[in-house]
Amino acid sequence: MNRRITEERDAVTIRFAGDSGDGMQLTGSRFTDTAALIGNDIATFPDFPAEIRAPAGSLPGVSGFQVQFSSRDIHTPGDRPDVLVAMNPAALKVNLRDLPEGADLFVNSDAFAKGNLKLAGYESNPVEDGSLSKYRVFSLPMTSLTLRAVEGLGLGQRSAERCKNFFALGVMFFLYERSVDATVQWIDQKFAKTPDLGEANKRALRAGYNYADTLEIFNRTYRVRKAVLPAGEYRSVSGNEALAMGFIAAARQAGRTLFYGSYPITPASDILHELARHRAFDVRTFQAEDEIAAIGAVIGAAFGGAIAVTGTSGPGIALKSEAMGLAVMTELPLVIVDVQRGGPSTGLPTKTEQADLLQVVHGRNGECPLPVLAACSPADCFHTAIEAVQIAVRYMTPVVLLSDGYLANGAEPWRVPNVADLPGIAVTFATDPHEYQPYARDPRTLARPWALPGTPGLEHRIGGLEKEDRTGNVSYDPENHDRMVRLRAEKVARVAQDIPPTEVVGAKSGDLLIVGWGGTYGAITSSVEELLVKGYAVGQVHLRHLNPFPSDLGDILGRYKRVLVPELNLGQLRLLLRARYLIEAEGLNKVAGQPFRVDEIYRKAASMLSAMQPV
């Protein structure tokens, strides 16, 4: 009788990898949802192929999904996988470089045929030639066992083979003590209209689970207990889902219709998809014929009094830039979401990057400032969306909200907030025709009045030509232009008065400050936690507000001997910090289409700290 040992682990990272048609995103998502139901802390990293229709079995067609699940608080989906599930040779070839020595490697042996090996660039079968001796290799005939499990259902060969991802999921469920019940219920709902396919997937799932249970080579299972998290109701949320819900919440708090106009673009399209599902919450979505039409419609919606939002990625920002200037000139409140991806041009549509910062801060003609915010995690996208709407309405200005592909597609537990705890968003429209001047200014914010079209006596000019101070008439007067340019710049600068004090994690002064923004938060936070445990005088600041900067940032920067700025670009925030505060910040820069690993930031910081120690 096989006596298995159950091994307790604090955290495990699993990567599922295969062809883009192998269902790796689905497999990873189902494992993630099951871990969330158990109460683990989770973080995910879906990695899509950049090629839309890469040849099956080729390296460019490999799709991956990495999930870290833990009994403690975690910030990233893991640096390197403890477990790699490779459905074909190409998946093995692409991902093996990340697998640490001694890790578990599960391969679908049926896929390691001569043709697939050649496509992946293997001269011999790595499962048989000893080249994988550094790993614990489990070679499982997943395809043939799946075909056997679904016999008699009348499925074609192709449909039957596609169920093998559920076989692999079943194996992982057994080894990590996960129940199949929640996934069985999900399959029943997902495939209600195709019950034969649903039954095949359930059979493959149970076959994988039972196969692992009966196979003696699996002499141990692994247990990752429930994480201790603050009390509350949680759900798994991706960054794009959180943005959509944040904008809905903001519109509800403002008591206005939400209008979202966009043109589909990876990786921002899911915001439109999610919002289109929520018409019952007074949400109006518009899929435009191009990026320019999308922001044009949104400017019109803002003029009409809606909470107006558009979303895109870097190439779309380039196309929207003239209309963004129009929104600045007309001083209308709207939010422009930029879910950044690898560039330039079409670049790497499915890979992550942080290279649009200078574009959204400075990339328009004329003196054209606007506030820029950046979310730091999938769940934080919700709160950042609400704040972006607050600023837009309070200061009567377009606002850019930066996300990135890593945040947009990644997921983590999100503590669902109470509606009563959400900030209010006060919307006031001009109504008195006797005192109305289109470009009069609020003394605190310098916001101009928001006048609904059709309000008697509040008719005024709108458009891209320069406006006369207060009256809003078209003006070519040099002094007036100078005054209006400075007023618009000062209005954006005054946003800083509503930015809360900057949080410094770790040492409040000392040897090294690590400054980050956007999706680098998890890797920076994890590396700082390790450095603090080892006794280094290191602090961390993660910026949500990138224009204007927080009022106290200069003082904080001056408390440390050295400053490190990790970015997924060639140094854009570092450039802005050096220009604004005249500091010699040092950059850690990466433009590989992949997020930072914790060890990359840790090694750079440790090297800088070691260089400061007396010899």
Side-chain angles (χ1 to χ4, degrees):
M1 181 177 179
N2 184 19
R3 296 174 61 98
R4 286 194 176 91
I5 299 169
T6 298
E7 181 180 316
E8 295 266 356
R9 292 196 176 180
D10 288 337
V12 174
T13 299
I14 299 177
R15 184 181 299 177
F16 298 93
D19 253 347
S20 57
D22 281 341
M24 293 298 95
Q25 306 303 321
L26 175 60
T27 306
S29 297
R30 291 312 313 154
F31 193 97
T32 298
D33 289 350
T34 303
L37 286 172
I38 289 174
N40 298 136
D41 196 9
I42 55 172
T44 71
F45 175 49
D47 191 14
F48 301 94
E51 293 284 345
I52 295 175
R53 298 186 185 278
S58 66
L59 300 181
V62 172
S63 176
F65 189 105
Q66 184 162 304
V67 53
Q68 181 178 195
F69 54 105
S70 174
S71 60
R72 52 180 169 78
D73 186 29
I74 56 174
H75 309 291
T76 75
D79 274 9
R80 301 180 186 276
D82 303 299
V83 181
L84 173 61
V85 180
M87 301 301 288
N88 62 15
L92 178 64
K93 188 74 170 285
V94 167
N95 292 280
L96 192 61
R97 62 177 178 267
D98 294 334
L99 199 64
E101 187 172 343
D104 290 347
L105 172 59
F106 294 80
V107 298
N108 176 18
S109 58
D110 290 329
F112 282 68
K114 187 175 181 180
N116 286 339
L117 290 168
K118 183 178 180 180
L119 271 175
Y122 284 113
E123 295 182 0
S124 61
N125 190 337
V127 180
E128 300 172 351
D129 64 12
S131 60
L132 303 177
S133 60
K134 296 188 296 184
Y135 316 104
R136 297 178 65 227
V137 181
F138 301 94
S139 180
L140 312 180
M142 298 185 198
T143 303
S144 55
L145 290 174
T146 298
L147 292 174
R148 190 181 307 172
V150 303
E151 282 179 354
L153 291 176
L155 297 180
Q157 179 81 8
R158 182 177 178 81
S159 295
E161 285 188 2
R162 292 185 67 179
C163 299
K164 63 183 178 293
N165 62 321
F166 280 99
F167 184 95
L169 182 60
V171 173
M172 291 298 107
F173 276 170
F174 175 80
L175 291 177
Y176 290 92
E177 298 189 341
R178 317 271 127 169
S179 170
V180 302
D181 293 345
T183 296
V184 168
Q185 293 175 10
W186 179 88
I187 291 172
D188 285 336
Q189 295 173 356
K190 179 72 174 178
F191 297 96
K193 295 182 179 179
T194 52
D196 288 347
L197 191 56
E199 177 62 25
N201 284 322
K202 289 190 290 186
R203 287 191 188 183
L205 177 70
R206 293 187 175 114
Y209 188 96
N210 294 331
Y211 181 73
D213 189 13
T214 58
L215 205 63
E216 293 188 1
I217 59 172
F218 297 136
N219 56 14
R220 65 183 61 210
T221 57
Y222 304 93
R223 182 174 300 154
V224 179
R225 295 190 181 275
K226 179 180 178 179
V228 179
L229 299 172
E233 181 181 354
Y234 287 82
R235 58 158 289 182
S236 175
V237 69
S238 71
N240 278 344
E241 289 172 334
L243 284 174
M245 289 188 288
F247 289 127
I248 293 172
R252 300 288 283 186
Q253 291 298 96
R256 305 301 301 169
T257 296
L258 173 63
F259 181 89
Y260 185 85
S262 76
Y263 178 75
I265 184 171
T266 301
S269 298
D270 283 342
I271 304 173
L272 174 62
H273 302 159
E274 182 66 22
L275 286 172
R277 298 174 53 237
H278 297 293
R279 297 185 186 90
F281 291 100
D282 198 17
V283 176
R284 304 290 180 265
T285 53
F286 169 58
Q287 180 175 314
E289 65 268 27
D290 57 40
E291 296 283 3
I292 300 172
I295 192 169
V298 168
I299 291 172
F303 180 57
I307 300 301
V309 185
T310 187
T312 187
S313 191
I317 291 291
L319 293 168
K320 293 179 189 290
S321 61
E322 182 182 0
M324 290 167 69
L326 173 61
V328 169
M329 175 62 76
T330 55
E331 300 187 44
L332 288 169
L334 58 132
V335 177
I336 304 113
V337 178
D338 178 3
V339 186
Q340 299 163 95
R341 70 189 205 186
S345 186
T346 308
L348 303 174
T350 63
K351 307 301 180 181
T352 195
E353 204 164 274
Q354 288 183 292
D356 295 351
L357 178 56
L358 293 181
Q359 180 184 23
V360 298
V361 172
H362 295 301
R364 292 167 297 283
N365 64 295
E367 293 289 344
C368 191
L370 43 71
V372 177
L373 284 70
C376 71
S377 72
D380 184 56
C381 287
F382 175 84
H383 302 286
T384 309
I386 293 176
E387 185 175 0
V389 173
Q390 282 182 304
I391 292 172
V393 170
R394 184 178 298 156
Y395 288 85
M396 287 294 287
T397 180
V399 176
V400 170
L401 192 166
L402 291 170
S403 177
D404 56 59
Y406 172 63
L407 297 182
N409 297 314
E412 66 179 356
W414 174 54
R415 186 182 180 187
V416 180
N418 294 319
V419 174
D421 296 332
L422 296 177
I425 299 178
V427 174
T428 303
F429 295 110
T431 57
D432 186 353
H434 301 294
E435 297 183 2
Y436 176 67
Q437 289 186 300
Y439 284 82
R441 301 285 169 183
D442 179 277
R444 180 179 181 273
T445 64
L446 297 183
R448 80 175 185 91
W450 196 358
L452 290 179
T455 305
L458 269 60
E459 298 85 355
H460 60 282
R461 292 172 178 81
I462 203 79
L465 293 174
E466 183 61 277
K467 305 297 182 292
E468 184 178 58
D469 189 16
R470 303 187 71 81
T471 69
N473 295 328
V474 173
S475 173
Y476 300 101
D477 179 68
E479 285 85 10
N480 177 79
H481 177 58
D482 184 271
R483 181 164 58 254
M484 294 297 282
V485 166
R486 293 177 188 275
L487 279 169
R488 288 189 290 264
E490 174 62 19
K491 179 171 67 169
V492 173
R494 287 194 185 188
V495 172
Q497 67 192 342
D498 291 331
I499 298 174
T502 301
E503 180 184 6
V504 180
V505 176
K508 308 309 178 188
S509 62
D511 292 330
L512 179 65
L513 179 67
I514 303 180
V515 181
W517 67 279
T520 58
Y521 172 78
I524 292 175
T525 300
S526 296
S527 63
V528 167
E529 288 175 349
E530 292 184 29
L531 291 163
L532 291 170
V533 167
K534 297 200 173 176
Y536 289 111
V538 59
Q540 173 192 358
V541 164
H542 209 81
L543 296 173
R544 173 182 286 184
H545 305 91
L546 298 167
N547 191 44
F549 286 129
S551 300
D552 58 357
L553 183 57
D555 174 65
I556 293 170
L557 292 168
R559 299 179 202 162
Y560 297 84
K561 296 176 184 176
R562 299 181 73 178
V563 176
L564 173 64
V565 186
E567 300 180 79
L568 298 180
N569 58 46
L570 295 182
Q572 297 187 16
L573 176 60
R574 177 167 55 102
L575 181 68
L576 294 175
L577 291 175
R578 293 173 75 174
R580 175 70 175 79
Y581 300 106
L582 303 179
I583 61 165
E584 285 301 319
E586 188 166 342
L588 175 62
N589 303 106
K590 177 178 178 178
V591 280
Q594 299 290 316
F596 277 115
R597 299 194 308 268
V598 176
D599 69 329
E600 290 174 321
I601 297 174
Y602 177 87
R603 287 199 308 268
K604 175 64 175 179
S607 173
M608 293 175 67
L609 288 161
S610 297
M612 286 186 271
Q613 303 306 314
V615 179

